Every structure is written in structure tokens, then in C-alpha cells.
Amino acid sequence: MKFSLMVATLFTFALSACGGGNSGSSNSNNQPTITTATDTEIIANVKSSNIDFLPIIYPVNRPAGTWRWPSTPNQHVLVYIPAPASGNATEQDYASKAQNAITQINTKLRNFLVLEPVSAIPVNGNFIQVGYGTSFVPVGSTDYQSYCANVSEGLNLGNVIQPDSQNGIKSNPVYVNLGNGHCDVTQAIVVHEFGHALGLANHFNGFGIGDSTSTAFWDVLATLYGNPQSTTANNLIVRHAAN
Ligand SMILES: [Zn+2]
């Protein structure tokens, strides 16, 4: 029983590192799709995707409850978008999709969270960094679309980001790796990856299972950021994303 639970946990964990997953085909028109979640499901999803995350490699002794970028919305989450190489249409496309993702998130999660794009590496504090063509593809895999993008602690790395001992974000920077030279980086995939970078460790229905993003996804993020960090599942107040 215990063993199978651990296998299940590891499997979910591995899925969450996939990045693109099934996300490309179901939602390439940039519109949120229709998967919704009841209040009970929203809380269950915050719990399974964020609260219950256990770092496998470097376990952190952290308080109970949610972990996330701290002190939002007053403290902005900086996103370093490197200048695309001159004449590189692919990098320009990825940079523009990262900008669009930030705009969508700031609209949907207004009042809860502000992502701030910057064009130079921030000198203080943790930040998110976008990588071009740096998604992690496991050795031996040619399933490039399933590994089209990921969030990790390095360019071309597959390790997941970590919470710190105060339920903030330990990893710095948090890399959003987009594309591997053999896949279609859709707008939906980019928004999905930002969800991982904001603390959604595991996929759930409407986030990498079925749809890459959805109403359920937005409401889970709104609830994660609409409650203070270290909020336990019992104390979460369900929040809904703006239209
Ligand atoms: Zn994913």
C-alpha cells in the first residue's frame, strides 16, 4: 500500500516535469478551455499540486500550507526575458508569447499577483528567467512535443523548482524553458509553464490533464495567490480569476 502510493507520487511527480505534455493540441487558440472545478475541487487541486509537494532530492523543513512567490501583489514577480538574438524569428516568437502570458496572468489574477517583465537580469531577489530552445528532453527520447517546454532550476535541466524554509521560492532563477528545436511552442504551453513557475508542481484536471490551461487552472492559481502563503487546505478561501 505504502509502496504503491509512493510509485503513484513519483509518477505524478515525473508527469509534472514534462512541461508541454498534452498541452499543445487542445488549446492552441489562446483561449481558456472549459474545464471547470467546484470549490471543493479547487481546494483539492491546490493541495495536490502545491501544498503536498515534497522535494525528493533536497527535502525542505517548511511550515504547513501553501508555498509561493511571497508578498504579492505588492512585491512583483520579476520575469527576465532576454533580448531575442537578432534576426532569430523563433526567439522573437517565444519572447512575444512570454509577454502575452504575463499580460494574461496579470489580467486574470489582478489584485492577487503582478508579474513584471524586465530586460536585464535582476540584481536582488528571486526571479523567473525565460530560456529559448532550452526545454529538457530526456536522454533517448524523441518525443519532442511532449517535452516542448518545462520549468526547472536550469537551462536544459529537468529538476523541479523548490520551496524554501519559509514557504517562499528557493530556486533562483526559476527557468521557463521554451522549445527544443523540434516542437510547436503554443501560447497555451507558455501560459501553462508559468503556472509551474508560480508553484503548481503537479498536473490536475484542466492543467496538463486534458487541457493545458482552463478555468479550473485559473481558479486554482487565484486561490493560491488570493490567500497568504502558508495557508493550510482547511483555511483556504476559494478565489476565482477575473474574466
Ligand atoms: Zn506541465
Side-chain angles (χ1 to χ4, degrees), residues 25 36 76 85 100 153 169 193:
S25 53
T36 56
H76 294 184
N100 289 341
E153 294 192 307
I169 303 290
E193 295 309 323

Side-chain angles (χ1 to χ4, degrees), residues 84-85 87-97 132-133 178-181 183 185:
N88 187 322
T90 300
E91 292 192 4
Q92 286 167 11
D93 176 52
Y94 295 174
S96 136
K97 283 172 175 159
Y132 305 131
L178 301 178
N180 52 40
C183 68
V185 178

Side-chain angles (χ1 to χ4, degrees), residues 16 18-19 192-193 196 203:
S16 73
C18 80
H192 174 98
E193 295 309 323
H196 284 305
H203 290 153

Side-chain angles (χ1 to χ4, degrees), residues 22-23 32 44 51 55 85 139 148 194 205 208-209 234:
N22 326 328
S23 36
I51 291 174
V139 172
C148 191
F194 272 92
N205 193 22
I209 297 174
N234 284 345

